[in-house]
Amino acid sequence: MRINLLSSFAAGILISTTICGVVYFSDTTTTTQKASAKSSEKVQLTATQMKDKLESEGYVVQTKEELEKTLQAAKGTETKAAEPKEKAVTQVVVNVADGMTSIDVANVLLQAKLIPDAFKFTQDIEARGLQNALRPGSFTVTSDMSYDQIIATIFTN
């Protein structure tokens, strides 16, 4: 008797689901009416109305001609700013004494603002195998020298 009750319940759920599915899929009038109502609500704005609305929301609206003028003006100022001004060249005399290490030389170059980081400089010297190539003497180094030129001037192979 229990199986008969369970199969009757299952048949009832199947029938009610079928009825709901048929009603849902056959009711096209409400979706068509909703779609046509939404499309009829659309309003076309004029160009000035669209521009005013965008500007009120914080956007910058330009025509193609205004954009070209802005870009030309930006290019004109960019070329003026890009012209290199003559940079003052600083000259530093590095005195290397007996017992100085590459760390000491790096600190002198860092104080003269010729290298950005003393630790990386010493790591680079060790990577090149020049830690023992430091000889006592006075070496002139300028700010327009490249990183490799500075190393070649102070450290001799």
Side-chain angles (χ1 to χ4, degrees):
M1 180 155 168
R2 201 156 169 74
I3 293 178
N4 193 13
L5 180 67
L6 190 60
S7 63
S8 298
F9 180 72
I13 289 178
L14 181 63
I15 291 171
S16 64
T17 305
T18 305
I19 292 171
C20 289
V22 168
V23 169
Y24 179 77
F25 288 116
S26 66
D27 189 21
T28 59
T29 58
T30 57
T31 57
T32 308
Q33 290 172 353
K34 288 179 185 176
S36 64
K38 286 183 181 178
S39 64
S40 65
E41 292 175 7
K42 291 182 181 176
V43 177
Q44 292 293 331
L45 298 176
T46 63
T48 56
Q49 289 173 335
M50 287 188 281
K51 186 175 180 179
D52 292 338
K53 184 167 177 67
L54 287 172
E55 286 176 345
S56 68
E57 292 182 12
Y59 291 98
V60 176
V61 182
Q62 294 181 336
T63 62
K64 285 184 179 180
E65 295 155 351
E66 292 170 340
L67 176 65
E68 290 298 323
K69 288 179 184 176
T70 306
L71 290 175
Q72 290 297 331
K75 286 181 182 177
T77 58
E78 187 176 292
T79 56
K80 290 178 184 175
E83 293 176 4
K85 296 181 180 177
E86 288 192 31
K87 190 176 176 182
V89 177
T90 57
Q91 187 174 5
V92 178
V93 176
V94 179
N95 291 320
V96 178
D98 279 335
M100 283 184 75
T101 63
S102 60
I103 297 170
D104 299 326
V105 173
N107 288 332
V108 170
L109 294 174
L110 181 67
Q111 288 176 351
K113 297 181 181 177
L114 296 176
I115 59 170
D117 188 9
F119 183 70
K120 287 183 181 178
F121 181 81
T122 57
Q123 283 183 332
D124 190 31
I125 295 300
E126 290 175 6
R128 294 180 186 201
L130 297 173
Q131 64 270 17
N132 294 329
L134 185 61
R135 303 286 178 246
S138 294
F139 304 100
T140 304
V141 181
T142 60
S143 62
D144 62 348
M145 292 176 111
S146 70
Y147 189 77
D148 292 328
Q149 288 174 335
I150 292 172
I151 292 173
T153 302
I154 298 173
F155 295 88
T156 57
N157 244 350

